[in-house]
Amino acid sequence: MDSSSVLSDEDYDLISNPGQRSLESSITDLHHIPALNTYEIPPSDAARERLSAVALSPGDIQAYVQNALNASSAGKYPRDNVTLRVYVDGVFDVLTIGHVHQLRQAKLSFPSVHLIVGVLSDEQCRAHNTTPHFSHLERCELMRHCRWVDEVLHDAPWTVNDRFIIDKRIDYLALEEGSSVNPEFDKERLKGYDVAKRLGRVLPTRMTTGLTAAPLLVSYNASEDTTPFRELAEMVLEQPGRSTFTHPPPTTSTTTSADSKTHDLEALGAMEALEAMSNELAERCARKQKQPARG
């Protein structure tokens, strides 16, 4: 290769004007640009009072993580102000305030964090006896628009292992303390988290208490003829005055044949009536799950 084929500095305008200036001196021209700071809308007093993780400041979060890592025999809170890659995974069906608070804590665990979120696929979930209500595409797109997320991993593995941690250059996995575990659903995933703990690569996030339960998010068998949402729709259509929900429904009641439990809907507004029916639906789904499998 002769010297004429080699590109000179004049072939590129790297940052400022071409010429004899070095890359380092050109970079100094950018120092007048202010750093971007993430602005948070302050939470309301009601949210501070009800939701436990709302009032945690970045300093609170970093101090908590630092104490946890320094107390661990395998980990140590990093002293250098480098950008650390933190990983969170889940189904996120649907995204709740609890999820958002966990993502916020993961993002603010260190002064500079690149937060990666892995979204488990529909096929993986079905293989482990759960069926998401929203598609993998929609769940990934939802995470893409979360302000705390820097990268969405569409092909997230069900079980995190050391090979995955090395390949993705993950510094820490963020795990929520005190979260409930379904042994059948999470057994394999917990093994992966144990590997990360032994490597000193796990940081804790605190659970948000005071959340409202979501009764409609009940797993169901995809082979069943009636899904929970279709059953709720049928329950709504059974109600007199179903043509509109802009006014309170007329006096009526619904009774389940399984336990003869009656929900009095008299004088209830639209949202209250819907909530009563959704609670009844959740009970029906729970009873179905306890029944032996068909065929």
Side-chain angles (χ1 to χ4, degrees):
M1 180 171 66
D2 68 46
S3 60
S4 63
S5 64
V6 179
L7 296 175
S8 68
D9 289 342
E10 295 182 356
D11 292 301
Y12 289 101
D13 181 5
L14 293 177
I15 292 179
S16 57
N17 57 321
Q20 301 304 314
R21 299 185 62 196
S22 67
L23 176 61
E24 289 76 17
S25 64
S26 296
I27 290 176
T28 61
D29 291 344
L30 302 179
H31 287 175
H32 69 283
I33 300 176
L36 295 177
N37 295 318
T38 301
Y39 172 74
E40 282 192 81
I41 300 174
S44 66
D45 292 338
R48 289 177 180 273
E49 181 178 346
R50 177 176 173 181
L51 305 175
S52 60
V54 162
L56 297 176
S57 69
D60 295 332
I61 295 169
Q62 290 169 23
Y64 187 80
V65 172
Q66 181 174 353
N67 291 336
L69 293 180
N70 289 341
S72 171
S73 58
K76 211 75 172 174
Y77 194 86
R79 297 295 181 184
D80 298 332
N81 289 327
V82 297
T83 298
L84 297 171
R85 293 169 65 85
V86 177
Y87 180 73
V88 178
D89 66 359
V91 180
F92 305 110
D93 183 48
V94 290
L95 188 66
T96 68
I97 296 301
H99 292 138
V100 173
H101 286 174
Q102 183 192 18
L103 296 174
R104 175 180 180 267
Q105 291 178 64
K107 177 68 175 178
L108 300 178
S109 294
F110 306 100
S112 180
V113 167
H114 179 85
L115 182 59
I116 308 167
V117 175
V119 181
L120 301 174
S121 69
D122 299 338
E123 293 75 19
Q124 289 173 321
C125 293
R126 283 193 288 267
H128 292 82
N129 302 317
T130 187
T131 301
H133 297 86
F134 295 93
S135 71
H136 182 244
L137 174 66
E138 292 174 278
R139 291 182 283 118
C140 288
E141 185 66 8
L142 183 66
M143 297 308 304
R144 187 175 72 86
H145 288 279
C146 178
R147 65 182 300 171
W148 305 112
V149 177
D150 298 299
E151 180 181 345
V152 178
L153 191 63
H154 297 74
D155 56 346
W158 187 262
T159 303
V160 173
N161 54 34
D162 53 354
R163 184 75 264 166
F164 173 78
I165 291 174
I166 293 171
D167 289 346
K168 297 300 181 183
R169 298 180 292 113
I170 293 171
D171 295 298
Y172 292 96
L173 274 69
L175 297 182
E176 187 177 74
E177 293 181 326
S179 57
S180 59
V181 174
N182 181 338
E184 292 185 5
F185 184 82
D186 290 330
K187 190 174 182 180
E188 292 182 27
R189 299 182 67 207
L190 290 176
K191 291 180 181 178
Y193 296 149
D194 288 340
V195 170
K197 288 179 181 178
R198 289 195 296 270
L199 295 173
R201 298 293 186 95
V202 170
L203 64 85
T205 62
R206 282 171 277 188
M207 178 186 291
T208 300
T209 59
L211 298 176
T212 301
L216 284 178
L217 298 183
V218 181
S219 296
Y220 66 95
N221 188 331
S223 63
E224 291 183 0
D225 296 332
T226 305
T227 67
F229 291 106
R230 180 178 298 178
E231 189 166 350
L232 176 62
E234 292 174 352
M235 291 170 62
V236 172
L237 292 175
E238 290 172 359
Q239 302 305 313
R242 60 179 180 271
S243 58
T244 178
F245 265 96
T246 57
H247 302 286
T251 302
T252 185
S253 63
T254 59
T255 306
T256 60
S257 57
D259 58 3
S260 299
K261 185 177 181 179
T262 301
H263 296 291
D264 186 6
L265 301 181
E266 182 176 3
L268 291 181
M271 294 307 299
E272 290 85 353
L274 184 60
E275 181 179 2
M277 286 185 286
S278 65
N279 289 335
E280 180 179 332
L281 171 60
E283 294 176 7
R284 292 187 188 182
C285 292
R287 287 195 296 270
K288 286 183 180 181
Q289 289 182 325
K290 294 179 181 179
Q291 295 174 355
R294 294 179 294 182

